[in-house]
């Protein structure tokens, strides 16, 4: 995305098939919380596109995304949209604009390391392709698993990790591994030149500052849910006080 905003997104013309998107400076850092919400807006917009909706108000998009209208407008200002009250956003244009801001106009090729239940489920998930992610490889160390087909992929030997990563052009890696081997494999992935890693391993991984590492810990998320569930029940089920 280059250049400056010449008109607001809400009053933009119909976008051609391969639009030249304009908006915020691509070097400008978007706050992490706003980035997370932009992905939610994009999902809501793509749902509207699938339903044939051409325009949406900021109020309706905010409601569909579970945020306030003021939060929505502030978040969209980071990608060059300031809006015009009462006109409504053009759904297709805004969807592409957010996609460009998130880097989704590029080709992202994903390799999964670990062909256990989680790895296989991720490899078979059809939602990645529709959101711009192409799963190009899956690896495992178990020779009983290597060579098996998972969806449209054949499991590669993790011993060939670097070779396959280079051959497929993978630029993102998902680690679905036990804690004991996750750091060693992560180091190999980084050494192979992949700097975007999503880890499901139940361990804190150490990576260079140049590497973007995201960790998904389902046990931690469940603990957070348990905390909020307990707070919600507290007025009704408060423990009895003892003297």
């Amino acid at each position: 995305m280059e250049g400056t905003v010449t008109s607001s997104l809400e009053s933009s013309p119909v976008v051609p098939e391969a639009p030249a998107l304009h908006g915020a400076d691509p070097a400008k850092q978007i706050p992490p919380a706003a980035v997370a919400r932009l992905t939610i807006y994009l999902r809501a917009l793509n749902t509207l596109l699938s339903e044939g909706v051409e325009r949406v108000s900021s109020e309706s998009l905010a409601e569909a995304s579970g945020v306030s209208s003021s939060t929505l407008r502030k978040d969209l200002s980071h990608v060059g949209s300031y809006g015009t009250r009462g006109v409504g956003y053009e759904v297709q244009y805004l969807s592409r604009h957010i996609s460009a801001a998130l880097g989704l106009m590029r080709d992202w090729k994903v390799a999964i390391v670990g062909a256990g239940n989680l790895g296989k489920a991720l490899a078979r998930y059809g939602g990645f392709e529709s959101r711009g992610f192409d799963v190009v490889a899956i690896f495992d160390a178990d020779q009983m698993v290597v060579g098996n087909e998972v969806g449209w992929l054949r499991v590669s030997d993790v011993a060939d990790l670097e070779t396959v990563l280079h051959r497929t052009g993978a630029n993102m890696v998902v680690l679905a591994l036990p804690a004991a081997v996750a750091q060693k494999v992560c180091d190999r992935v980084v050494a192979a030149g992949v700097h975007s890693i999503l880890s499901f391993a139940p361990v804190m991984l150490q990576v260079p500052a140049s590497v973007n590492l995201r960790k998904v810990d389902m046990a931690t998320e469940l603990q957070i849910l348990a905390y909020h569930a307990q707070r919600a029940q507290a007025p009704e089920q408060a423990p009895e006080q003892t003297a």
Side-chain angles (χ1 to χ4, degrees):
M1 298 183 294
E2 298 179 352
T4 57
V5 179
T6 56
S7 62
S8 73
L9 290 180
E10 288 199 352
S11 58
S12 59
V14 175
V15 182
E17 187 61 26
L21 294 172
H22 300 275
D25 182 350
K28 181 180 178 181
Q29 184 74 24
I30 301 176
V35 172
R37 289 191 293 268
L38 285 172
T39 67
I40 298 173
Y41 306 152
L42 182 59
R43 180 175 60 191
L45 289 165
N46 288 340
T47 297
L48 292 172
L49 279 174
S50 69
E51 295 172 351
V53 177
E54 296 182 357
R55 287 189 175 274
V56 62
S57 67
S58 59
E59 290 78 11
S60 295
L61 182 56
E63 182 179 357
S65 304
V67 301
S68 67
S69 296
S70 60
T71 297
L72 173 81
R73 287 191 289 268
K74 182 178 180 180
D75 290 341
L76 293 182
S77 73
H78 292 297
V79 298
S81 167
Y82 298 92
T84 301
R85 187 183 299 274
V87 176
Y89 294 102
E90 185 177 319
V91 174
Q92 184 184 51
Y93 186 82
L94 184 55
S95 173
R96 294 191 181 196
H97 203 82
I98 293 176
S99 294
L102 293 175
L104 301 181
M105 307 300 277
R106 294 182 54 187
D107 291 329
W108 294 110
K109 297 183 179 181
V110 181
I112 299 170
V113 185
N117 291 334
L118 176 58
K120 287 188 288 189
L122 292 171
R124 291 174 175 141
Y125 176 55
F128 288 136
E129 185 175 2
S130 65
R131 298 186 185 186
F133 300 93
D134 183 16
V135 180
V136 296
I138 183 169
F139 300 88
D140 206 272
D142 188 344
Q143 296 305 305
M144 297 294 291
V145 175
V146 172
N148 291 347
E149 291 186 356
V150 178
W152 55 90
L153 298 171
R154 191 174 298 276
V155 180
S156 298
D157 193 329
V158 75
D160 301 323
L161 179 71
E162 292 82 357
T163 300
V164 177
L165 289 179
H166 289 145
R167 187 183 75 238
T168 59
N171 48 20
M172 283 188 177
V173 166
V174 176
L175 300 178
L177 297 167
V181 299
Q183 184 65 61
K184 180 179 179 180
V185 174
C186 182
D187 292 343
R188 290 177 62 192
V189 168
V190 173
V194 178
H195 289 175
S196 298
I197 301 171
L198 176 64
S199 175
F200 286 88
V203 62
M204 292 299 296
L205 299 176
Q206 302 299 315
V207 298
S210 60
V211 173
N212 294 310
L213 173 68
R214 299 284 296 177
K215 185 178 187 303
V216 180
D217 188 332
M218 287 182 279
T220 296
E221 296 301 324
L222 288 172
Q223 289 170 341
I224 293 171
L225 281 176
Y227 166 76
H228 289 293
Q230 175 180 264
R231 283 177 57 85
Q233 296 172 3
E236 301 176 2
Q237 300 181 11
E240 295 182 1
Q241 299 293 326
T242 56

